[in-house]
Amino acid sequence: MSGHFEPIPGGGAAVALDEVEISILRSLAVQLLELIGPGDEPVEGEDPLNALFAEGPSEPPADPALARLFPEAYAGPDADEADEELRAASAEFRRFTEKDLRSRKRDDALCLVRTLDSLTAVGEGGAVLKLTADDCLHWLGALNDLRLTIGTRLEVTDEDENDDLYRLPDSDPRKPMVMAYLWLGALQETLVETLMS
């Protein structure tokens, strides 16, 4: 089972992780949480319905990784003046959806951290992490967000072939990030296969 997810009876999945893998996953998830930012805490004494209907931002994030995690709905970042109507529609859509999307992404990353923190018998050989079906969905979201973020930092595009990433020399400073990107992709792929089996 080492390095890939397998189904467990009753739904869910399990994966064997060593101490280094656990540490890397946890560190990446914490960094993702820092990137996404804290949630909005309701003001003490405020009507909870006000927080529920509060609007989010209308402008896309300036950070390319955040822009990838929270993309424009209708107009891309390179839209010209003729696309002003699409730009306005994207801003309106963002105002009413980004807060919930950020909250979901935060919940996914927190689930990853909490399930890793719940491992009690991490010995020299590592531990077997068992996820419920619900945890699996959070993990899929978190793994996807981590790959999108790292891929953006590495400037990976849809047209890129992973072959170039495999051929980086060990001296390349991007090598650790590339290895994490490829490893997360393999974890994500085996989790998807497990859930579809």
Side-chain angles (χ1 to χ4, degrees):
M1 177 185 334
S2 181
H4 64 275
F5 282 94
E6 292 183 3
I8 56 176
V15 63
L17 299 169
D18 64 32
E19 289 181 73
V20 173
E21 292 169 328
I22 293 167
S23 176
I24 291 169
L25 279 169
R26 191 180 191 292
S27 175
L28 289 172
V30 168
Q31 290 176 55
L32 180 63
L33 285 165
E34 290 170 359
L35 179 67
I36 293 170
D40 294 333
E41 294 295 321
V43 177
E44 191 174 325
E46 184 179 319
D47 183 356
L49 284 177
N50 287 342
L52 182 64
F53 293 108
E55 296 176 3
S58 59
E59 294 297 317
D63 183 313
L66 282 174
R68 184 70 175 102
L69 292 174
F70 305 105
E72 291 283 65
Y74 305 109
D78 301 326
D80 59 21
E81 294 300 319
D83 295 327
E84 196 56 41
E85 202 170 299
L86 288 178
R87 208 180 280 279
S90 286
E92 187 76 0
F93 185 82
R94 181 178 299 280
R95 274 185 37 222
F96 293 108
T97 60
E98 187 171 311
K99 279 182 61 177
D100 287 340
L101 185 56
R102 276 184 188 268
S103 177
R104 193 190 82 223
K105 290 180 181 299
R106 204 172 5 264
D107 289 347
D108 291 345
L110 280 170
C111 177
L112 194 147
V113 170
R114 288 179 181 138
T115 54
L116 290 172
D117 286 351
S118 72
L119 291 172
T120 53
V122 181
E124 267 186 47
V128 174
L129 176 69
K130 294 181 181 179
L131 302 175
T132 66
D134 191 45
D135 289 342
C136 288
L137 296 178
H138 286 295
W139 266 69
L140 275 178
L143 290 171
N144 187 61
D145 290 343
L146 286 169
R147 289 193 75 241
L148 286 173
T149 302
I150 293 171
T152 302
R153 296 287 190 242
L154 290 170
E155 298 179 353
V156 173
T157 64
D158 293 338
E159 296 83 37
D160 283 344
E161 291 293 327
N162 285 346
D163 292 346
D164 293 339
L165 297 177
Y166 284 114
R167 285 191 232 122
L168 282 178
D170 289 342
S171 60
D172 192 307
R174 299 172 298 163
K175 184 77 173 204
M177 202 167 15
V178 167
M179 296 307 295
Y181 176 77
L182 296 172
W183 175 59
L184 291 169
L187 276 178
Q188 184 180 20
E189 183 178 344
T190 64
L191 183 52
V192 168
E193 288 170 358
T194 297
L195 294 177
M196 292 179 68
S197 64

